[in-house]
Amino acid sequence: MVSVNGALIKPLATLGAVLLLLVGGRAGFDALIETTPPPNMRMATSTLMLDRDGRLLRAFTVVDGRWRLPVVLGAVDPTYVAMLLAYEDRRFASHPGFDALALVRAGWQLLSQGGIRSGGSTLTMQLARLLEPRSTRDAGGKLRQIRTALWLERRLDKSAILQTYLTLAPYGGNLEGVRSASLAWLGKEPRRLTPAEAALLVALPQSPETRRPDRHPEAARRARDRVLEHVRLAGIIDVDEAAAARAEPVPRARLDAPMLAAHLTDRLRRAQPERAVHHLTLDAGLQERLEQLANARAAALGPRVSMGILVADHARGEILASVGSAGLFETARQGHVDMTRAVRSPGSALKPLIYGLAFEDGRAHPESLIEDRPSAFGGYVPANFDLGFQGTVTVRRALQLSLNIPAVKLLDAVGPARLVARMRRAGARPVLPDLSPPGLAVGLGGVGVSLTDLVDIYAAIARGGRPVILRDTLDEEAAGSGSLGVVIAADAGAPVLEARAAWYVASILAGAPAPTNSAPGVLAFKTGTSYGYRDAWAIGFDGRHVAGVWVGRPDGAPVPGVAGIDAAAPVLVEVFARLGPMTPLPPSPPGILSTTSAELPPPLRRVQDPRAASRGGVHAPQIAYPPEGAHVELGLGGGRAADLVLRVRDGVPPFTWFVDGAPVVREPYARTARWAPDGPGYVAISVVDARGAAARVNVFLE
């Protein structure tokens, strides 16, 4: 018999206290539990960012820098759970918080063998120690642990106790919880584990620092193999499974925590720090593929070049991927700067909206002829990118070749302020230099926009001119606030473009010269290059998705030779390839005029110089009736409806009348015309005279 020395007093005293507790019976249990101070059950867990299918995009450490990911018991491999219970606490399902038989066995081992060969702590007692990290080296400390375990068992069911333990158990370094450990050591969620992986995770919490696989791989292997042998004897795995598990190598490095969409997730966490779990609209698989694409393509362009990519489902208004830079920790590329939000010059990327406004007004048709020749607009003398001129071209060709002179002519006709207003309708937030009023330079990049702004604008064009909120979160409160800054609700409010004008623009962009890695006609897209090669853009859409790519240096320094068609457009094509099969563009809306230049109505055959409309004492046309903003009663709600009378003053005949961008009446010389509406509602009426000068009003017919 071993003598009872000082080293034996603590376990014997603890055992004695437990025996007294057992003798006390139910009354003793109740009294002990009722007088037990409750443990701290509000242990903070890591904030989680989940994708649209619940996959982990990113987690954040708790305040003290620990990775403590919350665990759901149903999302943990059942074989691991069975191994844990068999190895640590095989009577977990039946004991009241402490295992009396295990304590008696430990005491007997102490008395007969001079040491404890098998522990007496239950998982509930281990959880009590994690919740109240006090010393258990004396009998009082051990008894407090047992009291807390009894308190836990009285108030929580077994599943909740096990789940809490799996959230708080230590796994080495700043890792807490089986989910954190599985991601760090195995690179996977703990939903499905091999026997070797499960055994390693069972072994680590017993001595998390001395068994850390990255520092002590052999100690980790030996501990894992002991667990494997124990659970084999318990019948959880067979001999062959145990042998195969022992042959698996132990991981020797700690893996980085998932960090997808780093810029977006950080912004959302700062906006709602109290939210524990954020459900995003992103697709984790697509996000990862596009981050890899951005990193690879930026690396090929230079050590300081970064890249931003934004992808959305424009039909549902959901962001699917948001790549803020080519590597968050790439210092030379200033990877911390979110280039989906940075304000830059769009180059030619706004031209489609200019052309859409001209189509909407009836000033031009895709087959109208327009002059690409040296022109001056007051003191503003624009030039084409290649410093050459194409002469007479169709409007379609002018947009596809991104010619500057025709775009400025059309912007001069529709008005720069109107262009900026339509940008805002789409949800964009254009920044004008020195808060000055918009001038013609806006059409060629003289305005600040972000990649998000451009995707908003092109999403509206893709949707037939209807604006849409592009949201990045599925959480109801955040979604309602428009986390991307878009303030116009889908299908509520004035359109960005009328449907016919938007369709004309989309059909032109779909026929633009394709990048070298793409077939023509499968993607409606536009590129842009800002002055001095500082920004390269490519924005495009199909029938379902819209995507934008920015390439350049975050510090605004030039990158000679980096243009939208060469640097950004090929990346855009690869983005759509990673989205899967292309969705066809929608069919044309009613009222589309498909014809040749020669067969167009005379005012549309050639785009006229709007500045010539008031020369020689002849004023531009004005719509005398109906007036702007009028509500005109025509009896369209029922019965026999009257025609709408149209009157024009000034201008040079013949006159052509347009409704919502489609020609409806042509009167060679008369200044009065009649038109029969299809039904009630808002319409945009415009008239174009022989020189291409136009006037426009918006009215409501009822």
Side-chain angles (χ1 to χ4, degrees), residues 87 193 206 212 221 262 333 450 458 496 534-535 537 560:
Y87 194 76
L193 302 171
Q206 293 181 343
R212 279 184 59 164
R221 183 190 61 77
R333 303 181 196 280
S450 68
Y458 280 73
V496 176
R534 288 175 169 81
D535 308 276
W537 305 87

Side-chain angles (χ1 to χ4, degrees), residues 37 70 78 145 186 199 261 265 386 463 563 576 592 605 649 662 676 699:
Q145 185 185 51
L186 307 175
T265 53
D386 61 1
R463 287 166 47 85
F576 274 89
I592 290 298
R605 290 174 190 168
R649 64 173 177 266
V699 300

Side-chain angles (χ1 to χ4, degrees), residues 11 104 117 173 213 251 266 326 377 410 444 525 596 622 637:
V104 170
R117 300 290 181 265
D266 185 63
F377 301 83
L410 292 177
L444 302 184
F525 80 100
T596 64
Q622 299 181 52

Side-chain angles (χ1 to χ4, degrees), residues 601-619:
L604 282 178
R605 290 174 190 168
R606 182 177 293 274
V607 177
Q608 302 295 326
D609 181 359
R611 293 174 178 254
S614 59
R615 293 172 187 165
V618 179
H619 296 288

Side-chain angles (χ1 to χ4, degrees), residues 246-305:
R246 283 193 294 270
E248 283 190 29
V250 168
R252 291 176 174 263
R254 175 172 166 171
L255 305 175
D256 293 332
M259 191 181 289
L260 295 173
H263 301 85
L264 173 59
T265 53
D266 185 63
R267 187 166 66 249
L268 291 176
R269 186 178 74 115
R270 285 187 279 109
Q272 290 188 299
E274 74 286 350
R275 183 182 288 277
V277 180
H278 295 251
H279 299 87
L280 277 60
T281 60
L282 272 59
D283 180 316
L286 177 65
Q287 178 72 31
E288 184 172 19
R289 294 192 297 273
L290 295 188
E291 288 189 11
Q292 293 170 351
L293 174 65
N295 295 349
R297 295 296 172 268
L301 292 170
R304 298 185 181 277
V305 174

Side-chain angles (χ1 to χ4, degrees), residues 55-56 69 175 177-194 197-198 200-201 204 213 248-260 288:
R55 292 172 292 185
L56 183 64
L69 274 64
L175 298 174
V178 69
R179 190 177 182 188
S180 304
S182 185
L183 290 167
W185 299 126
L186 307 175
K188 61 194 290 189
E189 294 279 1
R191 186 179 298 275
R192 288 184 176 86
L193 302 171
T194 67
E197 292 169 341
L200 177 65
L201 295 181
L204 289 181
E248 283 190 29
V250 168
R252 291 176 174 263
R254 175 172 166 171
L255 305 175
D256 293 332
M259 191 181 289
L260 295 173
E288 184 172 19

Side-chain angles (χ1 to χ4, degrees), residues 58-317:
R58 184 181 185 182
F60 293 86
T61 60
V62 295
V63 175
D64 60 359
R66 297 177 184 272
W67 295 102
R68 188 185 294 142
L69 274 64
V71 176
V72 177
L73 191 57
V76 178
D77 191 311
T79 300
Y80 162 77
V81 175
M83 285 185 176
L84 176 67
L85 296 178
Y87 194 76
E88 290 283 2
D89 192 354
R90 61 191 179 93
R91 280 183 284 272
F92 175 73
S94 59
H95 65 61
F98 67 91
D99 189 341
L101 293 177
L103 287 173
V104 170
R105 182 182 64 248
W108 174 252
Q109 290 173 351
L110 180 63
L111 291 171
S112 61
Q113 303 175 32
I116 298 176
R117 300 290 181 265
S118 59
S121 290
T122 63
L123 284 177
T124 314
M125 292 169 63
Q126 294 180 46
L127 174 58
R129 185 173 67 249
L130 294 171
L131 293 171
E132 294 186 334
R134 300 172 179 172
S135 173
T136 56
R137 293 183 175 275
D138 55 57
K142 198 68 174 179
L143 185 57
R144 282 195 301 271
Q145 185 185 51
I146 294 173
R147 291 176 64 185
T148 301
L150 292 170
W151 187 94
L152 291 169
E153 292 278 353
R154 178 65 61 88
R155 286 162 176 79
L156 303 177
D157 61 28
K158 292 289 185 178
S159 294
I161 291 172
L162 183 56
Q163 182 169 290
T164 307
Y165 170 82
L166 294 178
T167 301
L168 301 179
Y171 285 86
N174 62 346
L175 298 174
E176 291 187 1
V178 69
R179 190 177 182 188
S180 304
S182 185
L183 290 167
W185 299 126
L186 307 175
K188 61 194 290 189
E189 294 279 1
R191 186 179 298 275
R192 288 184 176 86
L193 302 171
T194 67
E197 292 169 341
L200 177 65
L201 295 181
V202 169
L204 289 181
Q206 293 181 343
S207 185
E209 292 306 318
T210 62
R211 296 175 180 177
R212 279 184 59 164
D214 58 339
R215 295 181 178 177
H216 309 287
E218 283 305 308
R221 183 190 61 77
R222 290 192 298 269
R224 179 202 67 179
D225 291 351
R226 285 195 295 272
V227 173
L228 287 170
E229 179 62 16
H230 187 95
V231 298
R232 182 192 69 79
L233 294 174
I236 294 174
I237 59 175
D238 59 29
V239 174
D240 293 336
E241 289 175 317
R246 283 193 294 270
E248 283 190 29
V250 168
R252 291 176 174 263
R254 175 172 166 171
L255 305 175
D256 293 332
M259 191 181 289
L260 295 173
H263 301 85
L264 173 59
T265 53
D266 185 63
R267 187 166 66 249
L268 291 176
R269 186 178 74 115
R270 285 187 279 109
Q272 290 188 299
E274 74 286 350
R275 183 182 288 277
V277 180
H278 295 251
H279 299 87
L280 277 60
T281 60
L282 272 59
D283 180 316
L286 177 65
Q287 178 72 31
E288 184 172 19
R289 294 192 297 273
L290 295 188
E291 288 189 11
Q292 293 170 351
L293 174 65
N295 295 349
R297 295 296 172 268
L301 292 170
R304 298 185 181 277
V305 174
S306 189
M307 187 174 294
I309 301 175
L310 194 64
V311 181
D313 181 328
H314 59 70
R316 300 178 63 174

